[in-house]
Amino acid sequence: MSSKPRFAIASALAIALLSFGAAKAQEPAPTHRRVERFEIGTGPRSYLLFEPADPKPASAPVVVFLHGWFSVNPAIYGAWIDHLVRNGKIVVFPRYQNDVGTLPRDFLPNALEAIQDSLVVLESGAAHVRPQRDRFALIGHSAGGNLTAQIAALSADPGYGLPKVRAAMAFFPGEVFPTREPSFDRIPEKTLLVVAVGEEDMLVGDLRGRQIFSQATSVPRSRKRFLLYRSDRHGYPPLVAEHTAPSGANTLLDNGEGILKNFQLSKGDVNALDRAGFWRIADATLEAAFTGRTLDEAAANPEAFTHLGYWSDGRKVTPPLMADDLDGVPRVILSNGIRLIPWDWNVKTAAATREDAEASRVK
């Protein structure tokens, strides 16, 4: 072989290795060195509390983290939970589902009872960090994303005894059992609402996400954003915007529960989509919500708000598309895979009324 081909092959290999370097994202140092865990109750109305420690604060904001279908083991989201808690948040993790015997219609009342009880425990228990009820937020994934929107809607009713929901973030939301109540137009106007979907989500597509966003008509555009996360296979590990992407495993939080635990943990590698995508955007939304700002203000520089970092060869990681109305975001399409949960093409934009959205469905 001549020296020219050898040089060409070596150069190509060097470029390939460089191009497939891991995408990196910078995280600030956490303010707390340890996470304290409490498991309270048994069955589908039980919950876990995760509280910051070393140093232990007198009080802290509360983030309710709502898991996906069968994802009852907190280790499946353990890295994200750890990130939130070590940065000064109390995390409440309702186990609204026990096993296949828990009916989908029971998810909402189960989650509500766990949240209500957790606030009582936090406020009265000597060992606990006190909850800052004026800094209360919801984060949910999959079926938990759907619950996030439902609980935000119910929070408008004082009879449920919930604090004002300052921020509600639904990541790749899916509806296991179709229901029209509670109506999303009841989500309070002061709530910051973030709805995110994935372009390769073969399980739920984007139907429920679009329904939540378009039907939350009380929330002004300045306070809500819709994001479409996109895959980027330029480097290694590839960043794939599929249904399990918002999970992030941490086996230190494994409590042994979950019939699909091992499979779900295997899908929970933490990467730039987590650190610079889901976590960072959630952090920015929480910060804005807890300081009285809008998402217009938090995302005043949209490119900076959605920036996911760079691959090792300097190429920018493909950021999510973000908009304050659905017309600016492409649909998740069938070519990405078959949907296991049926979904519809005709979901209108945020300007549509709930009635118009229902009337537009394909019969």
Side-chain angles (χ1 to χ4, degrees), residues 163-176:
K164 290 181 180 178
V165 176
R166 302 297 179 181
M169 289 168 272
F171 290 89
F172 299 19
E175 187 178 31
V176 177

Side-chain angles (χ1 to χ4, degrees), residues 70 73 76 254 256-266:
F70 292 130
N73 192 314
I76 296 164
D254 186 0
E257 295 185 347
I259 59 174
L260 302 174
K261 180 191 75 168
N262 291 336
F263 170 75
Q264 290 168 324
L265 289 176
S266 73

